């Protein structure tokens, strides 16, 4: 038995573009997403993050690693500015 027509009931369409035809995918978009199950929809709770992800190596490029790097760089920038104001280092 075919599923009810998405167009008839106003279901949102997947916005992905086909590589072969260049046209829009047209499948029904998954709940809370703009793409269908063929074009990358995954439930957020199913996405593996951090050390659980199979491609995790050292964590320098993880979300936490990048956040940590930005905090350290902001601290270094602030200390450099302070040292210049106190005359400890020259510009
Ligand atoms: Zn699609």
């Amino acid at each position: 038995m075919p599923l009810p027509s998405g167009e008839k009931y106003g279901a949102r369409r997947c916005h992905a573009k086909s590589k072969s035809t260049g046209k829009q995918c047209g499948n029904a978009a998954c709940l809370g997403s703009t793409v269908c199950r063929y074009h990358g929809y995954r439930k957020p709770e199913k996405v593996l993050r951090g050390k659980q992800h199979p491609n995790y190596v050292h964590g320098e490029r993880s979300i936490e690693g990048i956040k940590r790097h930005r905090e350290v760089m902001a601290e270094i920038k602030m200390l450099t500015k302070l040292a210049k104001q106190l005359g400890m280092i020259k510009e």
Side-chain angles (χ1 to χ4, degrees), residues 14 16 25 36 39:
C14 173
C25 168
C36 69
H39 288 110

Side-chain angles (χ1 to χ4, degrees), residues 14-16 25-28 35-39:
C14 173
H15 73 92
C25 168
N27 283 325
V35 291
C36 69
R37 60 186 173 146
Y38 297 113
H39 288 110

Side-chain angles (χ1 to χ4, degrees), residues 4-6 12 15 17 19 28 31-33 44 48 57 60 71-72 76-77 80 82 84-87:
S5 170
R12 289 180 303 138
H15 73 92
K17 194 169 74 175
K19 286 181 182 174
L31 188 65
S33 176
L48 297 175
V57 178
E60 287 181 7
E71 289 171 356
V72 169
I76 289 171
K77 191 174 181 180
T80 306
L82 188 65
K84 284 179 183 175
Q85 285 176 351
L86 294 174

Side-chain angles (χ1 to χ4, degrees), residues 72-91:
V72 169
M73 291 308 292
E75 190 175 334
I76 289 171
K77 191 174 181 180
M78 188 264 302
L79 288 173
T80 306
K81 185 178 176 183
L82 188 65
K84 284 179 183 175
Q85 285 176 351
L86 294 174
M88 295 171 75
I89 56 173
K90 294 181 180 177
E91 302 202 23

Side-chain angles (χ1 to χ4, degrees), residues 11 49 66 87:
R49 297 191 187 281
I66 292 169

Side-chain angles (χ1 to χ4, degrees), residues 40-61:
Y41 176 73
R42 290 183 291 171
K43 291 181 179 176
E45 62 269 16
K46 298 270 183 177
V47 177
L48 297 175
R49 297 191 187 281
K51 290 184 178 178
Q52 286 77 36
H53 196 277
N55 290 343
Y56 183 89
V57 178
H58 44 67
E60 287 181 7
R61 294 291 175 183

Side-chain angles (χ1 to χ4, degrees), residues 1-9 28 37:
M1 184 173 166
L3 293 171
S5 170
E7 293 174 9
K8 182 177 177 184
Y9 296 103
R37 60 186 173 146

